[in-house]
RNA sequence: GCCGCUUUAGCUCAGCUGGUUAGAGCAUCAGUUUUGUAAACUGAGGGUCGUCGGUUCGAAUCCGACAAGCGGCUCCA
């Protein structure tokens, strides 16, 4: 945490209290939940009987908060024995606080995973039973809280309420839903404006907006969560896949294709029938057979392994595929390309023996670095351990988890641990990336699977002639092509590198005269021989207008074709600003220009040498 | 799925508290113009106002249901 964040933390936490104070003044019957600090601000979960807060109420709440701030009430800390605290909560008619206090008394902690001790405001740590808890009081408002806070309500900087949404009490969807009011908090008005400005800028990078503007994809009401890829979108989609294919073929991966639909029996074997069937698209045929559309590729990869006898000599056996997957995601979870119901993963299933796990992980990490370094997007690792609803032997789980920890330790990479976040068949290492708004998304994932090979009764003949069960590694690097393209678009603000740009060169004619068009067509012909994606804009518009259109479509190179070019036979490319090393616009022979661009596309550079 | 908000032409948006044939810019098409590095001019076509139902003499406008989208929650690549 930076120094600035260290300072902002108590300010934002105090703002949460001040907001709760204001809401209590306006709606005295409010039942309070928790009010922690989050990135850039704070929130408080409130439950106001028969009142639904909306953005229109923010003005009222903000005005009341400003009153509290103007009064500069000191934050006073005091402690109470736990039983007195519980009595206080009961007396104040705060059932949520009472529940938390009871949990504290009983277990010394609260179980809900998101609400750690800091957020709840425990007075003591560890598993021991709590005897005392701390409170903070400002003006007429008292709250159970660990702190710390600023000295007084006047010292909280600048703030703004942003939105309100539903949030399940203690993060469990079986609990009642509260209203979560979000606010942002900054050191002062200037910082606040800077942050609001950043948010505005981020909206311009929204991949849904860019997908619309750049003619990449769209959605139709009849296929929620299933993108339609337009010709330009397909070009970048396929370029990403061919890069993936090229690099994986070179590393000993063998590509397979398998059915999209399988009978239920496959998913009974894999365990998906019990764990995942309700999240799948399914159908029943005329003859009464139940089919499921595959939500992941692993069961079919298991069948490919099982297809014939396997030898230890084949290991590691690497099967890759990019088949289409369908998952019946909750309607409320869908989000542009980030969360879809139909997508393709750059998938692979690697069958190894126990001794090969580490080496194979190292190889996968190498591929990861190669891919991500090209796009220059920062990412982080997260280890997910055994979830509650898991399959298989506990000892195997522990072994798998400790193996992954070792691998991460040895790799020297930073990682976080998310308990219970593994797949139901094994622990996993996830790779996270952030979108334009700073929201983290799971991208690549490398999962260790001791379970499915057993369930599918996979085996190979080992050197000693005995049959052994292989271990499967499931891994994706991009994650899903869809989500990756979403992240990429936001990261690049739509300015795709030459190798991914649907249109690499646009020729803009100065007039519609025959010799101009002829010249342009000659350039196109040469460009096509080099597999370049080039178009001619011969519209009856001003040159200025056509340049503008090329700029808006973020075409890497735009070349004006007129008298001058025809005379000299040289082109002066206009280079998209993010690719230019300097502001030069120099003439090049047609051949030189096209060859350079072709090389740049091939070597996947982000800057031009022109 | 849950909570809140949103939905008017291909796109971005006007349309005040319900009142005659629903507007604009961009885009599209046609004509004029033949243009030199971020928007030439003129004209035309295009919307049963997300869908269905209700209230009303009258609904884009009010109410309800459903659908899709957005921000969260839950869940996940």
């Amino acid at each position: 945490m930076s120094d600035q964040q260290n300072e902002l933390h108590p300010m934002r936490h105090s703002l949460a209290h001040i907001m709760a104070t204001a809401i209590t003044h306006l709606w005295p019957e409010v039942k309070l939940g928790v009010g922690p600090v989050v990135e850039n601000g704070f929130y408080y979960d409130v439950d106001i009987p028969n009142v639904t807060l909306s953005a229109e109420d923010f003005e009222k709440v903000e005005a009341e908060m400003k009153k509290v701030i103007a009064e500069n009430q000191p934050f006073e800390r005091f402690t109470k024995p736990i039983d007195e605290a519980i009595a206080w909560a009961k007396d104040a008619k705060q059932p949520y606080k009472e529940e938390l206090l009871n949990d504290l008394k009983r277990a010394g902690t609260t179980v809900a995973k998101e609400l750690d001790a800091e957020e709840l405001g425990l007075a003591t740590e560890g598993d021991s039973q709590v005897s005392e808890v701390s409170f903070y009081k400002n003006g007429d408002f008292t709250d159970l809280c660990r702190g710390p806070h600023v000295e007084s309500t006047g010292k909280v900087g600048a703030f703004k309420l942003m939105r309100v949404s539903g949030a399940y009490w203690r993060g469990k969807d079986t609990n009642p839903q509260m209203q979560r009011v979000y606010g942002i908090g900054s050191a002062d008005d200037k910082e606040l404006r800077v942050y609001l400005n950043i948010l505005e800028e981020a909206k311009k990078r929204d991949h849904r907006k860019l997908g619309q503007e750049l003619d990449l994809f769209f959605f139709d009401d009849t296929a929620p969560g299933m993108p339609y890829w337009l010709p330009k979108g397909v070009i970048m989609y396929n370029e990403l896949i061919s890069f993936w294919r090229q690099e994986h073929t070179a590393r000993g991966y063998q590509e397979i294709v398998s059915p999209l639909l399988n009978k239920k029996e496959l998913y009974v074997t894999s365990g998906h029938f019990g764990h995942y069937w309700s999240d799948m698209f399914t159908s029943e045929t005329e003859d009464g057979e139940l089919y499921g559309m595959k939500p992941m590729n692993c069961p079919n990869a298991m069948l490919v392994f099982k297809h014939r006898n396997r030898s230890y000599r084949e290991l590691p056996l690497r099967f890759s595929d990019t088949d289409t997957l369908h998952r019946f995601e909750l309607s409320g979870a869908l989000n542009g390309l980030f969360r879809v119901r139909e997508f393709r993963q750059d998938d692979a299933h690697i069958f190894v023996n126990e001794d090969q796990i580490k080496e194979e992980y190292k190889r996968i990490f190498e591929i990861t670095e190669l891919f991500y370094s090209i796009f220059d997007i920062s990412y982080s690792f997260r280890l997910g351990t055994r979830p509650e609803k898991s399959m298989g032997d506990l000892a195997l789980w522990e072994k798998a988890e400790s193996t992954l920890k070792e691998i991460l330790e040895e790799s020297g990479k930073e990682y976080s641990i998310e308990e219970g976040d593994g797949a139901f068949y094994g622990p996993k290492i996830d790779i996270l990336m952030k979108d334009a708004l700073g929201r983290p998304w799971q991208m690549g994932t490398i999962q260790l699977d001791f379970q499915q090979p057993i369930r599918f009764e996979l085996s190979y003949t080992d050197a000693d002639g005995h049959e052994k069960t292989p271990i499967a590694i499931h891994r994706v690097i991009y994650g899903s092509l869809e989500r990756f393209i979403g992240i990429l678009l936001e990261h690049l603000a739509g300015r795709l590198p030459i190798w991914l740009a649907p249109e690499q060169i646009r020729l803009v004619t100065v007039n519609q005269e025959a010799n101009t068009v002829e010249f342009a067509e000659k350039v196109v012909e040469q460009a096509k021989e080099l597999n370049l994606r080039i178009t001619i804009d011969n519209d009856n518009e001003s040159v200025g207008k056509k340049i503008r259109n090329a700029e808006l479509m973020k075409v890497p190179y735009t070349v004006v074709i007129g008298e001058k070019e025809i005379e000299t036979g040289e082109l002066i490319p206009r280079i998209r600003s993010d690719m230019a090393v300097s502001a030069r616009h120099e003439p090049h022979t047609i051949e030189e220009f096209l060859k350079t661009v072709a090389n740049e596309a091939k070597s996947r550079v982000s800057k031009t040498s022109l």
Side-chain angles (χ1 to χ4, degrees), chain A residues 372 431-433 441-445 476 478-479 483-484 487:
Chain A
Y372 291 176
I431 299 164
L432 306 176
M433 289 183 178
W441 293 92
Q442 181 179 324
M443 307 304 290
T445 177
V476 290
Y478 292 132
R483 182 175 287 178
F484 190 79
I487 289 285

Side-chain angles (χ1 to χ4, degrees), chain A residues 152-172:
Chain A
S152 59
T153 57
K155 300 188 172 169
V156 290
F159 74 98
K160 183 172 161 56
L161 300 189
M162 297 301 282
R163 54 178 179 262
V164 57
S165 71
Y168 299 110
W169 168 237
R170 307 183 85 173
K172 283 190 78 170

Side-chain angles (χ1 to χ4, degrees), chain A residues 498 504-508 523 534 547 550-551 555-561 564-565 568-577 579-597 600 608-610:
Chain A
I498 300 162
Q504 293 161 325
I505 303 170
R506 183 179 291 194
L507 302 180
V508 166
V523 175
I534 184 169
I547 292 287
E551 285 281 348
V555 179
Y557 295 102
T558 307
V559 185
V560 174
I561 304 290
K564 236 186 292 173
E565 287 69 25
T568 62
E570 289 186 326
L571 307 178
I572 305 172
R574 183 187 165 99
I575 301 162
R576 200 178 62 200
S577 60
M579 300 170 9
V581 180
S582 67
R584 295 173 299 180
H585 287 270
E586 286 171 9
H588 302 272
T589 65
I590 298 172
E591 201 188 354
E592 184 197 349
F593 168 63
L594 295 178
K595 275 196 174 154
T596 306
V597 177
E600 287 172 352
T608 179
S609 55
L610 287 172

Side-chain angles (χ1 to χ4, degrees), chain A residues 20 24 62 206 218 290 335 356 362 381 436 445 448 537 554 609:
Chain A
T24 305
E62 283 176 347
D206 188 317
F218 71 94
L290 252 190
N335 186 312
Q356 293 168 328
K362 274 184 200 152
F381 287 104
T445 177
L448 204 47
D537 185 350
K554 307 185 198 298
S609 55

Side-chain angles (χ1 to χ4, degrees), chain A residues 177-189:
Chain A
Q177 201 161 40
M178 307 190 68
Q179 303 185 63
R180 179 167 296 177
V181 186
Y182 285 91
I184 52 174
S186 302
D188 52 43
D189 285 330

